[in-house]
PDB file of all heavy atoms in Angstrom:
ATOM      1  N   ASP A 282      -2.543   9.514 -22.218  1.00 90.00           N
ATOM      2  CA  ASP A 282      -1.908  10.764 -22.658  1.00 90.00           C
ATOM      3  C   ASP A 282      -1.020  11.348 -21.570  1.00 90.00           C
ATOM      4  O   ASP A 282      -0.039  12.041 -21.860  1.00 90.00           O
ATOM      5  CB  ASP A 282      -2.971  11.789 -23.051  1.00 90.00           C
ATOM      6  CG  ASP A 282      -3.621  11.465 -24.392  1.00 90.00           C
ATOM      7  OD1 ASP A 282      -3.062  10.617 -25.122  1.00 90.00           O
ATOM      8  OD2 ASP A 282      -4.673  12.040 -24.699  1.00 90.00           O
ATOM      9  N   SER A 283      -1.347  11.076 -20.314  1.00 90.00           N
ATOM     10  CA  SER A 283      -0.604  11.681 -19.212  1.00 90.00           C
ATOM     11  C   SER A 283       0.717  10.979 -18.947  1.00 90.00           C
ATOM     12  O   SER A 283       1.584  11.545 -18.279  1.00 90.00           O
ATOM     13  CB  SER A 283      -1.447  11.644 -17.929  1.00 90.00           C
ATOM     14  OG  SER A 283      -1.568  10.319 -17.437  1.00 90.00           O
ATOM     15  N   ARG A 284       0.884   9.762 -19.439  1.00 88.00           N
ATOM     16  CA  ARG A 284       2.076   8.980 -19.116  1.00 88.00           C
ATOM     17  C   ARG A 284       2.999   8.906 -20.321  1.00 88.00           C
ATOM     18  O   ARG A 284       2.573   8.566 -21.421  1.00 88.00           O
ATOM     19  CB  ARG A 284       1.685   7.564 -18.667  1.00 88.00           C
ATOM     20  CG  ARG A 284       0.894   7.535 -17.374  1.00 88.00           C
ATOM     21  CD  ARG A 284       0.740   6.114 -16.888  1.00 88.00           C
ATOM     22  NE  ARG A 284       2.030   5.521 -16.556  1.00 88.00           N
ATOM     23  CZ  ARG A 284       2.459   5.305 -15.318  1.00 88.00           C
ATOM     24  NH1 ARG A 284       1.721   5.664 -14.288  1.00 88.00           N
ATOM     25  NH2 ARG A 284       3.638   4.745 -15.100  1.00 88.00           N
ATOM     26  N   ASP A 285       4.296   9.215 -20.071  1.00 83.00           N
ATOM     27  CA  ASP A 285       5.254   9.172 -21.163  1.00 83.00           C
ATOM     28  C   ASP A 285       5.807   7.776 -21.392  1.00 83.00           C
ATOM     29  O   ASP A 285       6.585   7.559 -22.317  1.00 83.00           O
ATOM     30  CB  ASP A 285       6.409  10.142 -20.892  1.00 83.00           C
ATOM     31  CG  ASP A 285       7.133   9.832 -19.588  1.00 83.00           C
ATOM     32  OD1 ASP A 285       6.733   8.863 -18.913  1.00 83.00           O
ATOM     33  OD2 ASP A 285       8.084  10.547 -19.254  1.00 83.00           O
ATOM     34  N   ASP A 286       5.422   6.796 -20.537  1.00 84.00           N
ATOM     35  CA  ASP A 286       5.863   5.426 -20.759  1.00 84.00           C
ATOM     36  C   ASP A 286       4.810   4.586 -21.469  1.00 84.00           C
ATOM     37  O   ASP A 286       4.950   3.368 -21.579  1.00 84.00           O
ATOM     38  CB  ASP A 286       6.232   4.765 -19.425  1.00 84.00           C
ATOM     39  CG  ASP A 286       5.059   4.730 -18.452  1.00 84.00           C
ATOM     40  OD1 ASP A 286       4.101   5.492 -18.655  1.00 84.00           O
ATOM     41  OD2 ASP A 286       5.118   3.944 -17.492  1.00 84.00           O
ATOM     42  N   LYS A 287       3.743   5.230 -21.943  1.00 86.00           N
ATOM     43  CA  LYS A 287       2.692   4.539 -22.668  1.00 86.00           C
ATOM     44  C   LYS A 287       2.352   5.310 -23.933  1.00 86.00           C
ATOM     45  O   LYS A 287       2.337   6.550 -23.935  1.00 86.00           O
ATOM     46  CB  LYS A 287       1.425   4.400 -21.809  1.00 86.00           C
ATOM     47  CG  LYS A 287       1.578   3.448 -20.633  1.00 86.00           C
ATOM     48  CD  LYS A 287       1.765   2.019 -21.102  1.00 86.00           C
ATOM     49  CE  LYS A 287       1.932   1.075 -19.929  1.00 86.00           C
ATOM     50  NZ  LYS A 287       2.113  -0.321 -20.360  1.00 86.00           N
ATOM     51  N   LEU A 288       2.086   4.580 -24.997  1.00 89.00           N
ATOM     52  CA  LEU A 288       1.658   5.220 -26.231  1.00 89.00           C
ATOM     53  C   LEU A 288       0.213   5.685 -26.097  1.00 89.00           C
ATOM     54  O   LEU A 288      -0.604   5.015 -25.457  1.00 89.00           O
ATOM     55  CB  LEU A 288       1.785   4.244 -27.409  1.00 89.00           C
ATOM     56  CG  LEU A 288       3.216   3.884 -27.819  1.00 89.00           C
ATOM     57  CD1 LEU A 288       3.199   2.748 -28.816  1.00 89.00           C
ATOM     58  CD2 LEU A 288       3.915   5.092 -28.414  1.00 89.00           C
ATOM     59  N   PRO A 289      -0.146   6.825 -26.678  1.00 90.00           N
ATOM     60  CA  PRO A 289      -1.522   7.332 -26.553  1.00 90.00           C
ATOM     61  C   PRO A 289      -2.490   6.525 -27.398  1.00 90.00           C
ATOM     62  O   PRO A 289      -2.105   5.838 -28.345  1.00 90.00           O
ATOM     63  CB  PRO A 289      -1.402   8.777 -27.064  1.00 90.00           C
ATOM     64  CG  PRO A 289      -0.247   8.736 -28.015  1.00 90.00           C
ATOM     65  CD  PRO A 289       0.725   7.743 -27.451  1.00 90.00           C
ATOM     66  N   MET A 290      -3.757   6.610 -27.042  1.00 92.00           N
ATOM     67  CA  MET A 290      -4.804   5.938 -27.813  1.00 92.00           C
ATOM     68  C   MET A 290      -5.150   6.766 -29.040  1.00 92.00           C
ATOM     69  O   MET A 290      -5.324   7.984 -28.953  1.00 92.00           O
ATOM     70  CB  MET A 290      -6.061   5.755 -26.948  1.00 92.00           C
ATOM     71  CG  MET A 290      -5.919   4.758 -25.815  1.00 92.00           C
ATOM     72  SD  MET A 290      -7.410   4.684 -24.785  1.00 92.00           S
ATOM     73  CE  MET A 290      -8.594   3.983 -25.944  1.00 92.00           C
ATOM     74  N   SER A 291      -5.271   6.107 -30.159  1.00 92.00           N
ATOM     75  CA  SER A 291      -5.773   6.784 -31.352  1.00 92.00           C
ATOM     76  C   SER A 291      -7.280   6.973 -31.208  1.00 92.00           C
ATOM     77  O   SER A 291      -7.937   6.293 -30.396  1.00 92.00           O
ATOM     78  CB  SER A 291      -5.465   5.953 -32.600  1.00 92.00           C
ATOM     79  OG  SER A 291      -6.203   4.740 -32.587  1.00 92.00           O
ATOM     80  N   TYR A 292      -7.829   7.870 -32.017  1.00 93.00           N
ATOM     81  CA  TYR A 292      -9.268   8.114 -31.898  1.00 93.00           C
ATOM     82  C   TYR A 292     -10.092   6.965 -32.450  1.00 93.00           C
ATOM     83  O   TYR A 292     -11.248   6.773 -32.055  1.00 93.00           O
ATOM     84  CB  TYR A 292      -9.623   9.436 -32.573  1.00 93.00           C
ATOM     85  CG  TYR A 292      -9.322  10.615 -31.686  1.00 93.00           C
ATOM     86  CD1 TYR A 292      -8.187  11.388 -31.877  1.00 93.00           C
ATOM     87  CD2 TYR A 292     -10.142  10.933 -30.615  1.00 93.00           C
ATOM     88  CE1 TYR A 292      -7.891  12.460 -31.046  1.00 93.00           C
ATOM     89  CE2 TYR A 292      -9.865  11.996 -29.773  1.00 93.00           C
ATOM     90  CZ  TYR A 292      -8.733  12.760 -30.004  1.00 93.00           C
ATOM     91  OH  TYR A 292      -8.444  13.806 -29.163  1.00 93.00           O
ATOM     92  N   LYS A 293      -9.531   6.168 -33.349  1.00 94.00           N
ATOM     93  CA  LYS A 293     -10.223   4.945 -33.763  1.00 94.00           C
ATOM     94  C   LYS A 293     -10.327   3.980 -32.590  1.00 94.00           C
ATOM     95  O   LYS A 293     -11.383   3.362 -32.377  1.00 94.00           O
ATOM     96  CB  LYS A 293      -9.468   4.296 -34.921  1.00 94.00           C
ATOM     97  CG  LYS A 293      -9.550   5.040 -36.232  1.00 94.00           C
ATOM     98  CD  LYS A 293      -8.952   4.239 -37.374  1.00 94.00           C
ATOM     99  CE  LYS A 293      -7.454   4.042 -37.173  1.00 94.00           C
ATOM    100  NZ  LYS A 293      -6.838   3.339 -38.329  1.00 94.00           N
ATOM    101  N   ALA A 294      -9.232   3.843 -31.844  1.00 95.00           N
ATOM    102  CA  ALA A 294      -9.272   2.984 -30.662  1.00 95.00           C
ATOM    103  C   ALA A 294     -10.239   3.522 -29.621  1.00 95.00           C
ATOM    104  O   ALA A 294     -10.933   2.749 -28.936  1.00 95.00           O
ATOM    105  CB  ALA A 294      -7.864   2.860 -30.069  1.00 95.00           C
ATOM    106  N   VAL A 295     -10.317   4.847 -29.487  1.00 96.00           N
ATOM    107  CA  VAL A 295     -11.231   5.448 -28.516  1.00 96.00           C
ATOM    108  C   VAL A 295     -12.679   5.126 -28.865  1.00 96.00           C
ATOM    109  O   VAL A 295     -13.490   4.766 -27.997  1.00 96.00           O
ATOM    110  CB  VAL A 295     -11.008   6.975 -28.467  1.00 96.00           C
ATOM    111  CG1 VAL A 295     -12.128   7.648 -27.709  1.00 96.00           C
ATOM    112  CG2 VAL A 295      -9.672   7.293 -27.810  1.00 96.00           C
ATOM    113  N   VAL A 296     -13.033   5.228 -30.148  1.00 96.00           N
ATOM    114  CA  VAL A 296     -14.414   4.948 -30.575  1.00 96.00           C
ATOM    115  C   VAL A 296     -14.768   3.483 -30.325  1.00 96.00           C
ATOM    116  O   VAL A 296     -15.852   3.169 -29.815  1.00 96.00           O
ATOM    117  CB  VAL A 296     -14.582   5.314 -32.062  1.00 96.00           C
ATOM    118  CG1 VAL A 296     -15.944   4.839 -32.570  1.00 96.00           C
ATOM    119  CG2 VAL A 296     -14.449   6.813 -32.268  1.00 96.00           C
ATOM    120  N   VAL A 297     -13.858   2.579 -30.680  1.00 96.00           N
ATOM    121  CA  VAL A 297     -14.120   1.156 -30.464  1.00 96.00           C
ATOM    122  C   VAL A 297     -14.193   0.845 -28.979  1.00 96.00           C
ATOM    123  O   VAL A 297     -15.036   0.051 -28.528  1.00 96.00           O
ATOM    124  CB  VAL A 297     -13.036   0.308 -31.163  1.00 96.00           C
ATOM    125  CG1 VAL A 297     -13.191  -1.164 -30.809  1.00 96.00           C
ATOM    126  CG2 VAL A 297     -13.116   0.487 -32.668  1.00 96.00           C
ATOM    127  N   HIS A 298     -13.323   1.462 -28.192  1.00 96.00           N
ATOM    128  CA  HIS A 298     -13.359   1.281 -26.734  1.00 96.00           C
ATOM    129  C   HIS A 298     -14.697   1.749 -26.176  1.00 96.00           C
ATOM    130  O   HIS A 298     -15.276   1.099 -25.285  1.00 96.00           O
ATOM    131  CB  HIS A 298     -12.209   2.075 -26.109  1.00 96.00           C
ATOM    132  CG  HIS A 298     -11.942   1.755 -24.670  1.00 96.00           C
ATOM    133  ND1 HIS A 298     -12.702   2.271 -23.640  1.00 96.00           N
ATOM    134  CD2 HIS A 298     -11.011   0.955 -24.075  1.00 96.00           C
ATOM    135  CE1 HIS A 298     -12.250   1.819 -22.485  1.00 96.00           C
ATOM    136  NE2 HIS A 298     -11.224   1.028 -22.715  1.00 96.00           N
ATOM    137  N   MET A 299     -15.222   2.853 -26.681  1.00 96.00           N
ATOM    138  CA  MET A 299     -16.509   3.360 -26.230  1.00 96.00           C
ATOM    139  C   MET A 299     -17.639   2.400 -26.608  1.00 96.00           C
ATOM    140  O   MET A 299     -18.537   2.121 -25.802  1.00 96.00           O
ATOM    141  CB  MET A 299     -16.758   4.743 -26.837  1.00 96.00           C
ATOM    142  CG  MET A 299     -18.069   5.376 -26.400  1.00 96.00           C
ATOM    143  SD  MET A 299     -18.355   6.975 -27.174  1.00 96.00           S
ATOM    144  CE  MET A 299     -18.581   6.473 -28.879  1.00 96.00           C
ATOM    145  N   LEU A 300     -17.608   1.864 -27.834  1.00 96.00           N
ATOM    146  CA  LEU A 300     -18.648   0.923 -28.263  1.00 96.00           C
ATOM    147  C   LEU A 300     -18.595  -0.369 -27.446  1.00 96.00           C
ATOM    148  O   LEU A 300     -19.641  -0.957 -27.137  1.00 96.00           O
ATOM    149  CB  LEU A 300     -18.477   0.616 -29.748  1.00 96.00           C
ATOM    150  CG  LEU A 300     -18.753   1.781 -30.709  1.00 96.00           C
ATOM    151  CD1 LEU A 300     -18.418   1.378 -32.133  1.00 96.00           C
ATOM    152  CD2 LEU A 300     -20.211   2.221 -30.609  1.00 96.00           C
ATOM    153  N   TRP A 301     -17.389  -0.801 -27.110  1.00 96.00           N
ATOM    154  CA  TRP A 301     -17.250  -1.992 -26.269  1.00 96.00           C
ATOM    155  C   TRP A 301     -18.019  -1.820 -24.962  1.00 96.00           C
ATOM    156  O   TRP A 301     -18.845  -2.670 -24.592  1.00 96.00           O
ATOM    157  CB  TRP A 301     -15.753  -2.237 -26.027  1.00 96.00           C
ATOM    158  CG  TRP A 301     -15.400  -3.111 -24.870  1.00 96.00           C
ATOM    159  CD1 TRP A 301     -16.188  -4.059 -24.265  1.00 96.00           C
ATOM    160  CD2 TRP A 301     -14.162  -3.112 -24.140  1.00 96.00           C
ATOM    161  NE1 TRP A 301     -15.516  -4.653 -23.213  1.00 96.00           N
ATOM    162  CE2 TRP A 301     -14.276  -4.100 -23.109  1.00 96.00           C
ATOM    163  CE3 TRP A 301     -12.972  -2.390 -24.260  1.00 96.00           C
ATOM    164  CZ2 TRP A 301     -13.235  -4.351 -22.224  1.00 96.00           C
ATOM    165  CZ3 TRP A 301     -11.947  -2.663 -23.372  1.00 96.00           C
ATOM    166  CH2 TRP A 301     -12.080  -3.623 -22.372  1.00 96.00           C
ATOM    167  N   HIS A 302     -17.780  -0.726 -24.262  1.00 96.00           N
ATOM    168  CA  HIS A 302     -18.442  -0.532 -22.970  1.00 96.00           C
ATOM    169  C   HIS A 302     -19.901  -0.133 -23.140  1.00 96.00           C
ATOM    170  O   HIS A 302     -20.732  -0.454 -22.280  1.00 96.00           O
ATOM    171  CB  HIS A 302     -17.688   0.529 -22.164  1.00 96.00           C
ATOM    172  CG  HIS A 302     -16.400   0.030 -21.602  1.00 96.00           C
ATOM    173  ND1 HIS A 302     -15.190   0.205 -22.240  1.00 96.00           N
ATOM    174  CD2 HIS A 302     -16.119  -0.659 -20.462  1.00 96.00           C
ATOM    175  CE1 HIS A 302     -14.231  -0.335 -21.511  1.00 96.00           C
ATOM    176  NE2 HIS A 302     -14.754  -0.862 -20.439  1.00 96.00           N
ATOM    177  N   LEU A 303     -20.233   0.533 -24.217  1.00 96.00           N
ATOM    178  CA  LEU A 303     -21.623   0.917 -24.425  1.00 96.00           C
ATOM    179  C   LEU A 303     -22.516  -0.310 -24.530  1.00 96.00           C
ATOM    180  O   LEU A 303     -23.584  -0.382 -23.892  1.00 96.00           O
ATOM    181  CB  LEU A 303     -21.725   1.786 -25.683  1.00 96.00           C
ATOM    182  CG  LEU A 303     -23.071   2.463 -25.950  1.00 96.00           C
ATOM    183  CD1 LEU A 303     -22.854   3.828 -26.582  1.00 96.00           C
ATOM    184  CD2 LEU A 303     -23.928   1.618 -26.891  1.00 96.00           C
ATOM    185  N   PHE A 304     -22.095  -1.308 -25.305  1.00 97.00           N
ATOM    186  CA  PHE A 304     -22.942  -2.490 -25.500  1.00 97.00           C
ATOM    187  C   PHE A 304     -22.895  -3.426 -24.289  1.00 97.00           C
ATOM    188  O   PHE A 304     -23.932  -3.995 -23.911  1.00 97.00           O
ATOM    189  CB  PHE A 304     -22.522  -3.234 -26.769  1.00 97.00           C
ATOM    190  CG  PHE A 304     -22.976  -2.566 -28.031  1.00 97.00           C
ATOM    191  CD1 PHE A 304     -22.075  -1.920 -28.856  1.00 97.00           C
ATOM    192  CD2 PHE A 304     -24.319  -2.569 -28.389  1.00 97.00           C
ATOM    193  CE1 PHE A 304     -22.488  -1.302 -30.023  1.00 97.00           C
ATOM    194  CE2 PHE A 304     -24.753  -1.949 -29.554  1.00 97.00           C
ATOM    195  CZ  PHE A 304     -23.825  -1.305 -30.370  1.00 97.00           C
ATOM    196  N   THR A 305     -21.725  -3.595 -23.675  1.00 96.00           N
ATOM    197  CA  THR A 305     -21.671  -4.486 -22.514  1.00 96.00           C
ATOM    198  C   THR A 305     -22.415  -3.890 -21.318  1.00 96.00           C
ATOM    199  O   THR A 305     -23.133  -4.608 -20.614  1.00 96.00           O
ATOM    200  CB  THR A 305     -20.213  -4.775 -22.120  1.00 96.00           C
ATOM    201  OG1 THR A 305     -19.502  -3.534 -21.963  1.00 96.00           O
ATOM    202  CG2 THR A 305     -19.524  -5.616 -23.176  1.00 96.00           C
TER     203      THR A 305
END
Side-chain angles (χ1 to χ4, degrees):
D282 286 346
S283 71
R284 295 189 64 106
D285 58 0
D286 60 342
K287 291 293 179 180
L288 291 170
M290 291 176 67
S291 67
Y292 279 102
K293 289 188 295 184
V295 168
V296 172
V297 173
H298 192 280
M299 181 182 67
L300 292 175
W301 161 23
H302 286 95
L303 189 145
F304 284 108
T305 52

